[in-house]
Amino acid sequence: MSKVLIIGAGGVGGVVTHKCAQVPEVFSEITLASRTLSKCERIRDQIARPIRVERVDADNVPELVALIRAVKPDVIINVALPYQDLSIMEACLETGVDYLDTANYEPPDEARFCYKWQWDYHDRFREKGLMALLGCGFDPGVTNIYCAHALQKHFDAVHAIDIMDCNAGEHGHPFATNFNPEINIREVTARGKYWENGQWLETEPLCVHETFDFPEIGPREMYLMYHEELESLVKHIPGLRRIRFWMTFGQEYLTHLRVLQNVGMTRIDPVSFQGCRIVPLQFLKALLPEPSSLGANYRGKTCIGCMITGTKEGKPRKYFIYNVCDHAEAYREVKAQAISYTTGVPAMLGAQLMLTGKWRGRGVFNVEQFDPSPFMERIGGYGLPWTEKFLE
Ligand code: NDP
């Protein structure tokens, strides 16, 4: 019986709230807090169980501390934006509460993300006997746990990992992003980066691509990108020789993105406009559909998985583990599209494993540092079943 405080009432926040509400034996009291109270109320009104809602500016540590002292949660699930990670971690330290998130910290004025800022909190969390679990969505999150599971059950040594993320859904808009547009566009327009033979190698944005035949979807073009789980998996999977991340994009999406970039609409530095200072990417976000609004008409599936090669008992092995999620089914269950669903369900389960003592530690951790078994045993039952195939 535990109290949870969920921060962020967007697409993912809605799924986390629905899923926590489905598990009253663990999450006995739920509070949802976000910058816009009406968004919390809209989610609350979809759920039969009573949910407490609060307004909070999660950039403001004293405001967060006051909220946490009033709610007295056992764990905080941060599904606001990556910009708020450090302020929420500070507030957790000040109030003595455990922390979980799904995306690593990014400074608002610099399109750069890495774990260093959050890993630097390790000693402070450890000294207070608190736990912070980073990146417990799907990718990062489930993909990291798939790698830990493969190493634990099927490999003596893992040599190469390709994480592949395909969204073959149609939402009916010429251009929209499946999660927060600002974060999504910053990520996709960044230079590609992967790790091979002990060093990081960079590529021009989206210039390396391959076709892959995704289960239940078919062949799709996928593009090499940098993604945050590469950084933690390089650190935590011993003997790794290469790791890359791939994401599929349709031609329509790529054409819109190129035009927006060419005209300066993806810039993150402020520009003067009619006497005001505006950040073009923030203005673009205001024009694009909210990710949480895409669900109602979304059709099709996502497939996200890990292709892993290595050895078992001296023989080479090639192995693929993945999940397929249907946008319309996710919407029927929790009023959200599959990208929010595949992120929110693991966040709920990660918090549950922390609260029930299955995953415990003092300090700051990535999900692959814990035993993958309790997660792998339960995640299918919460809506994200996995399939594994031995290809060699
Ligand atoms: P949304 O933009 O839909 O939701 C973000 C929410 O955070 C909004 O409700 C927003 O409020 C709120 N928020 C923003 N700033 C503040 C603040 N200062 N104080 C309080 N609340 C704030 O994004 P998503 O739900 O799609 O994504 C949520 C998180 O999940 C992001 O960090 C994203 O990177 C991560 N993610 C992780 C994935 C994974 O697999 N690991 C995949 C997809 C997303 P308002 O509505 O008022 O703006």
Side-chain angles (χ1 to χ4, degrees):
M1 302 289 272
S2 306
K3 288 186 188 177
V4 58
L5 170 60
I6 302 159
I7 302 183
V12 180
V15 176
V16 175
T17 311
H18 274 267
K19 293 307 270 194
C20 287
Q22 291 174 10
V23 192
E25 61 281 16
V26 176
F27 303 101
S28 48
E29 283 181 45
I30 301 170
T31 302
L32 173 62
S34 197
R35 183 165 56 188
T36 311
L37 186 64
S38 59
K39 294 196 183 174
C40 303
E41 291 168 341
R42 190 179 56 81
I43 294 168
R44 177 197 63 193
D45 294 345
Q46 294 166 359
I47 297 173
R49 267 183 69 189
I51 309 286
R52 174 172 170 181
V53 293
E54 296 287 345
R55 205 210 69 82
V56 74
D57 175 4
D59 291 316
N60 182 323
V61 177
E63 226 179 88
L64 281 166
V65 167
L67 173 70
I68 296 168
R69 293 215 165 109
V71 172
K72 299 186 182 60
D74 299 287
V75 66
I76 290 180
I77 301 181
N78 167 19
V79 278
L81 297 182
Y83 313 136
Q84 281 84 50
D85 289 359
L86 302 188
S87 49
I88 298 176
M89 288 175 84
E90 284 292 344
C92 284
L93 281 168
E94 200 167 325
T95 52
V97 178
D98 290 336
Y99 170 91
L100 177 149
D101 69 27
T102 66
N104 70 10
Y105 176 70
E106 235 177 277
D109 55 354
E110 206 187 325
R112 186 160 77 91
F113 47 90
C114 72
Y115 276 119
K116 184 184 179 317
W117 287 293
Q118 291 180 277
W119 283 341
D120 281 352
Y121 276 74
H122 181 74
D123 289 345
R124 291 171 69 199
F125 270 76
R126 197 195 50 205
E127 280 155 19
K128 292 233 162 172
L130 296 175
M131 173 171 171
L133 186 61
L134 309 183
C136 196
F138 205 100
D139 46 342
V142 177
T143 49
N144 307 48
I145 297 164
Y146 284 169
C147 295
H149 164 81
L151 188 57
Q152 186 186 64
K153 302 273 192 236
H154 304 305
F155 287 87
D156 296 328
V158 166
H159 296 154
I161 300 171
D162 282 298
I163 300 169
M164 298 184 284
D165 178 330
C166 173
N167 177 14
E170 298 280 340
H171 46 53
H173 295 271
F175 185 79
T177 63
N178 300 297
F179 62 96
N180 184 275
E182 218 183 306
I183 304 300
N184 181 242
I185 291 173
R186 284 163 65 125
E187 180 177 287
V188 173
T189 54
R191 284 172 69 76
K193 194 162 96 170
Y194 64 102
W195 194 82
E196 191 165 39
N197 295 328
Q199 57 179 325
W200 291 102
L201 301 169
E202 288 202 9
T203 68
E204 290 302 313
L206 307 182
C207 79
V208 178
H209 50 103
E210 277 181 22
T211 308
F212 183 75
D213 193 359
F214 286 91
E216 299 186 40
I217 289 172
R220 286 286 190 281
E221 204 61 10
M222 57 179 196
Y223 296 78
L224 187 145
M225 286 172 50
Y226 181 61
H227 222 240
E228 63 207 58
E229 61 264 51
L230 303 187
E231 188 186 6
S232 72
L233 287 167
V234 163
K235 192 170 161 197
H236 297 132
I237 302 286
L240 196 57
R241 296 176 188 167
R242 187 182 71 196
I243 182 163
R244 303 179 294 190
F245 180 93
W246 306 83
M247 191 177 274
T248 63
F249 299 103
Q251 279 312 313
E252 182 83 345
Y253 179 94
L254 292 176
T255 305
H256 275 81
L257 192 65
R258 195 167 61 246
V259 173
L260 291 167
Q261 258 186 305
N262 285 345
V263 299
M265 281 301 291
T266 60
R267 282 172 57 173
I268 61 168
D269 54 317
V271 297
S272 293
F273 176 72
Q274 296 185 347
C276 304
R277 303 281 284 165
I278 61 164
V279 175
L281 184 56
Q282 288 174 359
F283 178 67
L284 175 63
K285 173 184 180 284
L287 303 179
L288 291 175
E290 296 225 9
S292 55
S293 73
L294 298 175
N297 299 312
Y298 227 129
R299 296 290 173 271
K301 293 176 179 178
T302 62
C303 173
I304 314 177
C306 300
M307 184 71 77
I308 301 176
T309 56
T311 54
K312 180 76 177 172
E313 286 155 10
K315 295 199 190 86
R317 174 166 275 187
K318 187 171 184 184
Y319 162 91
F320 185 44
I321 178 166
Y322 62 91
N323 161 263
V324 173
C325 187
D326 185 288
H327 286 288
E329 275 175 28
Y331 189 78
R332 267 196 297 280
E333 186 194 329
V334 297
K335 301 258 178 296
Q337 33 88 349
I339 309 295
S340 306
Y341 190 86
T342 53
T343 311
V345 174
M348 177 282 291
L349 180 52
Q352 184 185 139
L353 296 178
M354 287 168 73
L355 290 169
T356 53
K358 303 268 183 321
W359 280 358
R360 279 314 305 170
R362 290 162 162 242
V364 175
F365 300 91
N366 294 88
V367 290
E368 67 272 22
Q369 292 177 268
F370 291 98
D371 177 6
S373 304
F375 187 94
M376 296 296 281
E377 283 157 13
R378 290 167 177 78
I379 189 73
Y382 289 120
L384 297 177
W386 44 276
T387 305
E388 55 188 4
K389 289 183 179 164
F390 294 88
L391 306 173
E392 271 172 24

